[in-house]
Amino acid sequence: QVQLVESGGGLVPTGGSLRLSCAASGSIFSINYMGWYRQAPGKQRELVAGSTGGGSTNYADSVKGRFTISRDNAKNTVYLQMDSLKPEDKAVYYCNAKIRTVQMPHIEYFYWGQGTQVTVSS
Protein backbone atom coordinates (compact mmCIF):
# COMPACT_ATOMS: atom_id res chain seq x y z
CA GLN A 1 0.00 0.00 0.00
CA VAL A 2 1.21 3.48 -0.93
CA GLN A 3 0.21 6.58 0.98
CA LEU A 4 0.86 10.27 0.35
CA VAL A 5 0.73 12.50 3.43
CA GLU A 6 0.50 16.26 2.99
CA SER A 7 1.17 19.09 5.40
CA GLY A 8 1.85 22.81 5.44
CA GLY A 9 -1.50 24.31 4.54
CA GLY A 10 -2.98 27.16 6.50
CA LEU A 11 -4.22 30.74 6.53
CA VAL A 12 -1.96 33.53 5.31
CA PRO A 13 -2.49 37.16 4.24
CA THR A 14 -2.20 38.33 0.67
CA GLY A 15 1.47 38.48 -0.26
CA GLY A 16 2.45 35.88 2.30
CA SER A 17 4.17 32.53 1.86
CA LEU A 18 3.57 28.88 2.63
CA ARG A 19 5.50 25.70 1.97
CA LEU A 20 3.56 22.52 1.36
CA SER A 21 5.12 19.10 1.91
CA CYS A 22 4.07 15.68 0.70
CA ALA A 23 5.79 12.48 1.77
CA ALA A 24 5.20 9.17 0.03
CA SER A 25 5.45 5.95 1.99
CA GLY A 26 4.74 2.27 1.54
CA SER A 27 6.04 -0.48 -0.69
CA ILE A 28 7.59 1.85 -3.25
CA PHE A 29 9.77 0.61 -6.08
CA SER A 30 10.28 3.97 -7.77
CA ILE A 31 8.70 7.40 -8.10
CA ASN A 32 8.87 8.84 -11.58
CA TYR A 33 6.78 11.95 -11.01
CA MET A 34 5.48 14.06 -8.14
CA GLY A 35 3.34 17.12 -8.39
CA TRP A 36 0.62 19.33 -6.99
CA TYR A 37 -2.96 19.96 -8.03
CA ARG A 38 -5.50 22.29 -6.49
CA GLN A 39 -9.26 22.56 -6.45
CA ALA A 40 -11.30 25.57 -5.42
CA PRO A 41 -15.00 25.30 -4.50
CA GLY A 42 -17.16 24.92 -7.59
CA LYS A 43 -14.15 24.58 -9.88
CA GLN A 44 -12.32 21.72 -11.54
CA ARG A 45 -9.09 20.35 -10.18
CA GLU A 46 -6.11 21.86 -11.98
CA LEU A 47 -2.41 21.15 -12.20
CA VAL A 48 -0.29 23.60 -10.24
CA ALA A 49 3.23 22.21 -10.62
CA GLY A 50 4.96 18.96 -11.45
CA SER A 51 8.45 17.48 -11.24
CA THR A 52 9.89 14.42 -12.97
CA GLY A 53 12.59 12.17 -11.59
CA GLY A 54 14.98 13.72 -14.08
CA GLY A 55 14.46 17.19 -12.67
CA SER A 56 12.14 18.68 -15.27
CA THR A 57 9.45 20.96 -13.85
CA ASN A 58 6.32 22.59 -15.14
CA TYR A 59 3.95 25.18 -13.71
CA ALA A 60 0.51 26.54 -14.34
CA ASP A 61 0.67 29.98 -15.91
CA SER A 62 -1.14 31.45 -12.93
CA VAL A 63 1.66 30.50 -10.50
CA LYS A 64 4.79 30.94 -12.61
CA GLY A 65 7.30 33.16 -10.87
CA ARG A 66 5.58 32.74 -7.51
CA PHE A 67 5.60 28.98 -6.79
CA THR A 68 8.55 26.60 -6.79
CA ILE A 69 8.37 22.81 -6.75
CA SER A 70 11.25 20.74 -5.42
CA ARG A 71 11.93 17.15 -4.39
CA ASP A 72 13.95 15.30 -1.81
CA ASN A 73 14.25 11.85 -3.33
CA ALA A 74 15.92 10.37 -0.25
CA LYS A 75 12.78 11.21 1.74
CA ASN A 76 10.31 10.49 -1.08
CA THR A 77 9.04 14.00 -0.49
CA VAL A 78 7.92 16.82 -2.75
CA TYR A 79 7.59 20.45 -1.69
CA LEU A 80 5.70 23.42 -3.04
CA GLN A 81 7.08 26.78 -1.98
CA MET A 82 4.35 29.37 -2.47
CA ASP A 83 5.31 33.05 -2.38
CA SER A 84 3.36 36.22 -3.11
CA LEU A 85 0.11 34.42 -2.44
CA LYS A 86 -3.11 35.86 -3.82
CA PRO A 87 -6.74 35.33 -2.76
CA GLU A 88 -7.31 33.35 -5.96
CA ASP A 89 -4.78 30.80 -4.73
CA LYS A 90 -7.27 29.68 -2.09
CA ALA A 91 -7.99 26.01 -2.68
CA VAL A 92 -7.43 22.50 -1.44
CA TYR A 93 -4.01 21.42 -2.66
CA TYR A 94 -3.49 17.76 -3.51
CA CYS A 95 -0.23 15.90 -3.83
CA ASN A 96 0.03 13.55 -6.79
CA ALA A 97 2.69 10.97 -7.59
CA LYS A 98 3.33 8.41 -10.30
CA ILE A 99 4.66 5.37 -8.48
CA ARG A 100 5.76 1.83 -9.20
CA THR A 101 5.24 -0.54 -6.27
CA VAL A 102 7.48 -3.42 -5.25
CA GLN A 103 4.62 -5.83 -5.91
CA MET A 104 3.95 -4.47 -9.39
CA PRO A 105 7.11 -2.68 -10.50
CA HIS A 106 6.09 -2.86 -14.16
CA ILE A 107 3.06 -0.63 -13.64
CA GLU A 108 3.03 3.10 -12.96
CA TYR A 109 -0.03 4.35 -11.13
CA PHE A 110 -1.09 7.81 -10.01
CA TYR A 111 -1.61 8.16 -6.27
CA TRP A 112 -3.24 11.08 -4.47
CA GLY A 113 -2.82 12.70 -1.10
CA GLN A 114 -5.71 13.66 1.14
CA GLY A 115 -5.44 17.37 0.38
CA THR A 116 -4.43 20.34 2.48
CA GLN A 117 -6.35 23.62 2.70
CA VAL A 118 -4.70 26.87 1.70
CA THR A 119 -6.57 30.07 2.51
CA VAL A 120 -5.35 33.53 1.53
CA SER A 121 -7.05 36.49 3.19
CA SER A 122 -7.40 39.92 1.61
Side-chain angles (χ1 to χ4, degrees):
Q1 179 177 309
V2 172
Q3 184 177 18
L4 303 180
V5 179
E6 300 169 323
S7 62
L11 173 64
V12 295
T14 297
S17 297
L18 282 173
R19 187 173 75 163
L20 306 183
S21 300
C22 173
S25 62
S27 188
I28 298 171
F29 180 80
S30 65
I31 301 177
N32 187 58
Y33 169 91
M34 298 189 83
W36 293 92
Y37 283 73
R38 68 184 180 187
Q39 187 167 25
K43 297 183 178 180
Q44 295 184 350
R45 188 173 299 185
E46 63 176 352
L47 175 68
V48 178
S51 177
T52 69
S56 297
T57 59
N58 64 290
Y59 298 90
D61 289 340
S62 60
V63 307
K64 287 181 179 177
R66 299 188 298 119
F67 291 10
T68 303
I69 188 170
S70 61
R71 291 173 62 178
D72 185 339
N73 292 327
K75 297 180 179 179
N76 289 331
T77 299
V78 63
Y79 304 94
L80 184 67
Q81 178 67 44
M82 304 184 293
D83 299 318
S84 301
L85 283 162
K86 305 175 181 179
E88 50 263 45
D89 294 319
K90 178 183 178 181
V92 177
Y93 285 71
Y94 296 91
C95 178
N96 171 256
K98 197 171 187 179
I99 297 173
R100 297 176 184 265
T101 65
V102 173
Q103 291 77 13
M104 295 183 289
H106 59 294
I107 299 176
E108 287 188 337
Y109 193 86
F110 277 105
Y111 293 86
W112 293 92
Q114 78 284 359
T116 184
Q117 178 70 52
V118 172
T119 301
V120 185
S121 61
S122 300

